Amino acid sequence: MAQLEKDNYQYVENVLTKEEQALLNNYCKLYHFHNFKEHDFTQCTGESFQYACLVMEALLKAKQPLFEKVIGKKILPTYSFWRMYNYLSDLKPHSDRAACEISCTVCIGNDGTPWPIYMGDNPVEVKPGDGVVYHGPKINHYRKEFKGDWHNQVFLHYVYADGENTKEVNDKKGFLGQANYSL
């Protein structure tokens, strides 16, 4: 928690088990292979993605106790989002909205090509299965062009249970897993 409060981010090892990594990598690869409709050209360069898919929403709930232990505070889930990046993908510098008060970017898996996420000016190389917890609205984050073939990443977003952003719970939807594409 000390690093999170000081730097607005903190590395967390072993967010995913090897079994979870295998399952989620297979899911993302299959989805990407069969994806003919959901590509993002706004923040990135055309990768497959899913907002609030049931698999990742279940992961959001399952990992909540882990992040509460890391943070030392109670948190409430807002939403999940995953993306499969590919050759020449990047992530434009940005900070996040209030629903991302506490976020964790978790590397599901990759082709072995190093690709750090920058937290402010600090490059952080996230190993498969590990993640970075960060204050999304407080720290600018980005990635430079990816030179590999594939990289699967999931973003798990929360708010402090006793904070000012509790109206963001479930991303202002009725319940987790309810996709709201009019964001």
Side-chain angles (χ1 to χ4, degrees):
M1 168 99 171
Q3 184 186 358
L4 177 63
E5 294 308 314
K6 178 179 167 262
D7 299 330
N8 287 314
Y9 73 93
Q10 179 176 330
Y11 196 88
V12 181
E13 294 181 336
N14 302 312
V15 174
L16 300 175
T17 66
K18 296 291 183 197
E19 294 80 11
E20 288 169 331
Q21 288 176 58
L23 173 77
L24 296 174
N25 262 317
N26 286 334
Y27 175 82
C28 294
K29 287 177 180 180
L30 284 169
Y31 185 91
H32 183 71
F33 181 76
H34 295 285
N35 178 19
F36 299 105
K37 61 179 182 165
E38 292 177 329
H39 295 280
D40 183 10
F41 294 97
T42 56
Q43 202 175 45
C44 295
T45 52
E47 301 80 4
S48 292
F49 72 93
Q50 277 186 301
Y51 164 83
C53 81
L54 296 177
V55 172
M56 299 304 179
E57 294 287 88
L59 185 69
L60 178 72
K61 282 297 289 177
K63 296 305 174 178
Q64 183 177 340
L66 169 67
F67 297 131
E68 288 178 337
K69 185 176 178 182
V70 168
I71 295 164
K73 289 185 175 185
K74 292 285 185 194
I75 55 177
L76 300 170
T78 56
Y79 72 98
S80 65
F81 187 92
W82 74 266
R83 184 184 307 276
M84 177 181 261
Y85 298 95
N86 43 51
Y87 183 66
L88 297 183
S89 293
D90 63 4
L91 179 62
K92 307 293 185 224
H94 69 284
S95 57
D96 296 328
R97 57 192 175 95
C100 309
E101 186 172 37
I102 291 292
S103 294
C104 189
T105 181
V106 181
C107 180
I108 298 170
N110 58 37
D111 65 0
T113 304
W115 196 41
I117 185 166
Y118 285 78
M119 292 289 165
D121 293 328
N122 301 315
V124 181
E125 187 64 45
V126 185
K127 296 176 185 170
D130 293 352
V132 177
V133 175
Y134 58 101
H135 291 124
K138 291 183 179 180
I139 189 164
N140 202 37
H141 45 284
Y142 62 97
R143 290 180 187 266
K144 296 179 180 179
E145 275 191 349
F146 182 51
K147 301 300 183 186
D149 186 37
W150 65 275
H151 183 103
N152 287 327
Q153 200 75 21
V154 63
F155 308 92
L156 305 172
H157 302 293
Y158 306 88
V159 294
Y160 287 113
D162 63 353
E164 61 188 46
N165 294 311
T166 56
K167 65 185 176 302
E168 303 291 337
V169 169
N170 298 339
D171 209 17
K172 300 181 181 178
K173 302 179 306 272
F175 49 88
L176 286 180
Q178 180 182 8
N180 178 359
Y181 295 100
S182 63
L183 294 175

